[in-house]
Amino acid sequence: MNAETTSPAQKIILDCDPGHDDAIAMLLAHGNPNLELLAVTTVAGNQTLEKVTTNARALARVGNITGIPFAAGASRPLVGPQLIPDEIHGESGLDGPELPAPGVPLEDTHAVNLIAQVIQDNEPGSVVIVPTGSLTNIALFARMYPELVERVGGVTLMGGGHHTGNMTPAAEFNILADPDAAAIVFEESWPVTMIGLDVTHQVLAVPDRMEQLKAIGTDVAQFIAELVEFFGASYMKERNYPGPPMHDPLAVAAVADPSVVRTIRAPIYVETQGAHARGQTIVDFRRTWSNNDPSGLGLVDDPEATSPNTSVAVDVDTDKFWDLLFDALRRIGDTNFKS
Ligand code: BDR
Ligand code: CA
């Protein structure tokens, strides 16, 4: 949206698989004045590529997101079949509210080419990629356009965790959906920030937050409330959570305002084999560097040691997150997307 802060807005590409929380992430990215959403790309994940792409384009109509390109990407992981968590996101991938017709056209190019184009067209280091689905498109980008990797300002992704999984005891969905792609992304030279379950499970849309959301009183806030209702019922049924986690919006929020999370720089490995641990993200906390908290868990800070380019979020300021989301929705206002 329009930037009214003193520093220029951070440019981002959202690579997503909407998905209830992806939808909220997209609207947050659009409404936050510290962010400039340059492109939206989709990847198979919460539903088939066709469905999540249709959903993404419908969300553009909901949020009145215009003038930026949308492109579809990978329809399956690099290896193996697609996992579809329809017990969480339903048949459409975005069950709950009625969706409007798509609000933007689809580019006649693959998501990977669109990402390359955007990175090429902007100053080196000025664009952060925010993946909120599996990492297939981002791994393909790294392999197809290796010369552009160093121009990417960073990859701040929702996925993984250092303590728990959700699809298996060890693995989180976005990583398990394509562990081989994730391994490529974590091994690349760009800075990677992992916003994992350790922090997203602390940001639950519990009834009090829903009341605050509904009090905004716009058609977009009401749409999100309906999404959260369906998403919350899934999480209650499947996991007995008092509210659904705001996984994907937290990754966007962490770019909009890095102080929303506390991160630790540490090596992160993705398990691509393993009888029980395929898709696990393993954080080597034996060798850590503090990031935005100098008094944090910076255990080594060894000047001789090479600092890793991967960071993990270990703590979250939930009030700050909700303030950012509600502020973005107020700025978007009513879009009259139903008319
Ligand atoms: C992640 O999996 C998906 O179902 C959500 O959209 C989120 O990106 C959480 O594990
Ligand atoms: Ca997602």
Side-chain angles (χ1 to χ4, degrees):
M1 243 198 174
N2 53 340
E4 48 184 63
T5 43
T6 44
S7 46
Q10 172 62 57
K11 297 174 179 178
I12 66 167
I13 298 170
L14 182 67
D15 184 67
C16 58
D17 61 338
H20 295 72
D21 50 337
D22 302 80
I24 303 170
M26 193 191 298
L27 294 165
L28 172 59
H30 173 55
N32 183 284
N34 296 332
L35 297 176
E36 183 184 353
L37 183 58
L38 298 182
V40 174
T41 51
T42 57
V43 62
N46 286 325
Q47 259 300 345
T48 60
L49 180 69
E50 200 186 342
K51 288 183 182 177
V52 299
T53 304
T54 302
N55 294 345
R57 295 169 63 211
L59 290 165
R61 174 78 190 94
V62 171
N64 196 19
I65 304 172
T66 55
I68 61 163
F70 280 57
S75 60
R76 50 166 290 192
L78 297 184
V79 180
Q82 187 192 352
L83 299 175
I84 298 185
D86 46 13
E87 73 284 5
I88 299 288
H89 297 276
E91 272 298 303
S92 70
L94 208 50
D95 278 11
E98 197 180 323
L99 292 183
V104 285
L106 198 57
E107 296 294 303
D108 188 18
T109 189
H110 194 281
V112 173
N113 298 329
L114 176 60
I115 293 171
Q117 191 63 54
V118 172
I119 297 298
Q120 185 79 65
D121 289 349
N122 285 276
E123 286 295 300
S126 67
V127 180
V128 169
I129 301 175
V130 185
T132 60
S134 72
L135 292 162
T136 319
N137 287 341
I138 313 307
L140 289 171
F141 166 75
R143 286 295 187 261
M144 288 176 66
Y145 295 94
E147 73 284 5
L148 295 182
V149 165
E150 66 179 24
R151 290 178 67 101
V152 175
V155 177
T156 297
L157 61 95
M158 190 284 133
H162 62 80
H163 181 248
T164 186
N166 57 6
M167 292 298 281
T168 71
E172 180 278 332
F173 175 75
N174 289 340
I175 306 296
L176 185 67
D178 196 342
D180 306 280
I184 290 172
V185 170
F186 279 89
E187 281 164 18
E188 270 301 343
S189 57
W190 46 33
V192 174
T193 304
M194 179 170 90
I195 308 295
L197 298 177
D198 315 279
V199 280
T200 66
H201 281 174
Q202 294 179 46
V203 189
L204 304 182
V206 291
D208 278 2
R209 297 300 186 182
M210 288 290 279
E211 288 312 309
Q212 288 175 281
L213 172 65
K214 286 180 186 158
I216 293 172
T218 63
D219 53 2
V220 179
Q222 178 56 32
F223 176 86
I224 292 190
E226 288 170 29
L227 279 180
V228 172
E229 219 161 281
F230 182 92
F231 198 34
S234 303
Y235 262 90
M236 176 55 90
K237 180 162 171 270
E238 297 293 322
R239 315 233 163 105
N240 204 24
Y241 278 26
M246 294 291 99
H247 302 290
D248 296 341
L250 188 57
V252 171
V255 180
D257 179 352
S259 72
V260 168
V261 289
R262 184 164 67 85
T263 60
I264 302 289
R265 214 156 0 125
I268 302 176
Y269 308 101
V270 179
E271 176 59 77
T272 56
Q273 309 293 319
H276 301 289
R278 180 164 153 87
Q280 182 174 17
T281 46
I282 298 163
V283 183
D284 187 355
F285 279 115
R286 297 170 308 164
R287 300 187 293 130
T288 64
W289 287 255
S290 48
N291 268 354
N292 49 0
D293 178 6
S295 63
L297 298 175
L299 300 178
V300 170
D301 281 338
D302 173 358
E304 298 300 311
T306 313
S307 167
N309 61 327
T310 47
S311 294
V312 53
V314 293
D315 214 348
V316 55
D317 184 333
T318 52
D319 287 338
K320 214 175 242 185
F321 167 80
W322 288 109
D323 286 349
L324 281 177
L325 179 61
F326 296 152
D327 174 69
L329 294 177
R330 281 188 207 101
R331 287 169 190 271
I332 292 172
D334 276 308
T335 61
N336 301 314
F337 67 90
K338 289 185 181 167
S339 59

